[in-house]
């Protein structure tokens, strides 16, 4: 737990009870692996040319944060909240119990896979991928307007849910 982290290396492995980036910067040419009970990436940047793996058994809050990987991002989290944040990679794989995204931008050049056991809540987000998968018991998608809540895929979009509730949603899949 630090007031601000600025860390650069070839490979980064972090293990902690609480990780708070506080406008910090974590960068690596190689893989970044983070294991922490709670993670607060507030105004922080976590950036790698390779793979980013984050495991949290508690709460991960990505507030105004940036997660970016040249290859894959794998997030295995108990609870995930992202507000006004950006996540970009070739493949993004998110597994969580509860997911709450607002005003965020997620882009995967290949696959964006979000799997939440209990619920996915989306408000004014843009999710872009070649293949986009949303899976959860309950999915709630609420937008201020259709241009602020977008699911876009150059391939397929798959939504698997017991309950799906949408308001002001733009969905576009350009598969041949």
């Amino acid at each position: 737990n630090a007031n601000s982290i600025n860390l650069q290396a070839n490979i980064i492995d972090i293990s902690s009870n609480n990780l708070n980036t506080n406008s910090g910067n974590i960068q690596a040419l190689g893989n970044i692996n983070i294991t922490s009970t709670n993670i607060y990436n507030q105004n922080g940047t976590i950036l790698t040319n390779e793979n980013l793996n984050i495991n949290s058994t508690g709460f991960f809050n990505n507030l105004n944060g940036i997660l970016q990987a040249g290859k894959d991002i794998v997030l295995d989290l108990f609870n995930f909240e992202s507000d006004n944040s950006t996540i970009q990679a070739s493949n993004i794989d998110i597994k969580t119990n509860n997911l709450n995204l607002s005003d965020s931008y997620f882009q995967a050049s290949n696959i964006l896979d979000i799997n939440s056991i209990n619920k996915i809540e989306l408000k004014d987000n843009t999710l872009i991928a070649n293949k986009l998968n949303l899976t959860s018991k309950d999915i709630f998608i609420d937008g201020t307007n259709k241009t602020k809540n977008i699911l876009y895929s150059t391939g397929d979009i798959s939504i698997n849910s017991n309950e799906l509730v949408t308001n002001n949603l733009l969905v576009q899949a350009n598969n041949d």
Side-chain angles (χ1 to χ4, degrees), residues 12-83:
I12 297 175
D13 290 305
I14 298 173
S15 181
S16 71
N17 286 329
N18 291 297
L19 176 64
N20 190 339
T21 61
N22 280 336
S23 301
N25 191 13
I26 299 172
Q27 290 185 321
L29 295 174
N31 292 338
I32 297 176
N33 299 298
I34 299 173
T35 301
S36 183
T37 303
N38 296 301
I39 302 169
Y40 302 94
N41 187 39
Q42 297 167 335
N43 299 305
T45 300
I46 303 174
L47 172 67
T48 176
N49 291 348
E50 295 292 323
N51 299 305
L52 172 59
N53 300 295
I54 299 178
N55 293 291
S56 172
T57 56
F59 188 74
F60 181 17
N61 185 339
N62 193 40
L63 175 63
N64 299 313
I66 297 172
L67 305 179
Q68 189 170 2
K71 292 185 179 175
D72 298 341
I73 292 178
V74 176
L75 305 178
D76 189 357
L77 314 168
F78 188 75
N79 287 315
F80 182 41
E81 185 171 313
S82 183
D83 186 9

Side-chain angles (χ1 to χ4, degrees), residues 91-112:
N91 294 295
I92 301 171
D93 183 13
I94 301 172
K95 290 181 180 67
T96 185
N97 286 324
N98 298 293
L99 176 87
N100 187 332
L101 304 179
S102 60
D103 296 308
S104 293
Y105 178 84
F106 289 18
Q107 181 178 12
S109 56
N110 289 318
I111 299 169
L112 173 54

